[in-house]
Amino acid sequence: MSPMRLLLPAAIGLLFLIAPAFAQTPGQRIIVEQSGSSPRQEGAVRVQSSINFFIAGPTGEGDEAQKLRERARRIVYEMAARECDLLREVLAKDCRMESVTSNVNINRQFGQQQEGLTINGSMSFQITLK
C-alpha cells in the first residue's frame, strides 16, 4: 500500500477532530456544571461559614435540657439568618441561602469537664459580588 493511501484516512480523521474547535466563535465559553450542584449565575460566589461552641447546662431528658438543645439550634439558625445581611454589607450585591446544618452533641463527661452541649453549625450561601 502506498504511503498516500495510509495518510489520507488519518488526515480526514484529524480534520473531524479539530473542526469543532475552529467552528467556535471567539470569546465563546463552555460551562460544565456537575450534576447535583445548584446552577450558578455569572459572577456568583459560594460562601460557607461554620461555627463551633459549647453551652454549659443540663443534658438529661428534662424540660431544661430540652430548652437548652433548642436554644443551641436557635443560635445557629439566627446566625444563618443574619449572615446574608452581613454579606450584603461587606461584599455581596445579592445573597441566597443554600443550606444550614446544625449538630448538637451532648457532653456528659463528669469530672473535670463541665456538663453541656457542643454545637457545630455550618451554612452555605450563594452571593453575587458587588
Side-chain angles (χ1 to χ4, degrees):
M1 230 184 197
S2 72
M4 189 60 136
R5 286 190 141 186
L6 291 175
L7 192 56
L8 186 59
I12 292 172
L14 184 60
L15 181 63
F16 281 117
L17 289 174
I18 62 171
F22 288 115
Q24 290 182 354
T25 59
Q28 181 179 3
R29 282 204 259 182
I30 299 171
I31 300 172
V32 178
E33 292 191 4
Q34 297 177 351
S35 63
S37 66
S38 60
R40 270 197 235 181
Q41 300 172 353
E42 182 68 27
V45 175
R46 181 167 285 128
V47 176
Q48 294 179 321
S49 181
S50 298
I51 182 171
N52 301 304
F53 58 98
F54 178 82
I55 298 178
T59 59
E61 297 300 320
D63 287 342
E64 289 302 313
Q66 180 64 30
K67 287 178 185 176
L68 185 65
R69 288 190 291 273
E70 288 175 7
R71 182 174 153 231
R73 289 192 312 273
R74 178 179 295 275
I75 290 170
V76 173
Y77 300 147
E78 287 175 350
M79 180 183 168
R82 290 188 303 266
E83 194 71 14
C84 265
D85 294 335
L86 177 62
L87 287 165
R88 282 187 195 100
E89 285 178 27
V90 178
L91 54 95
K93 181 174 21 175
D94 189 31
C95 179
R96 184 180 60 125
M97 186 183 310
E98 290 184 333
S99 67
V100 178
T101 305
S102 174
N103 298 309
V104 178
N105 299 308
I106 297 172
N107 186 358
R108 288 184 124 173
Q109 296 177 356
F110 300 103
Q112 289 187 352
Q113 194 167 4
Q114 194 170 15
E115 181 178 6
L117 304 175
T118 301
I119 299 90
N120 302 302
S122 64
M123 51 212 77
S124 179
F125 303 89
Q126 185 170 319
I127 66 167
T128 305
L129 296 173
K130 287 183 181 181

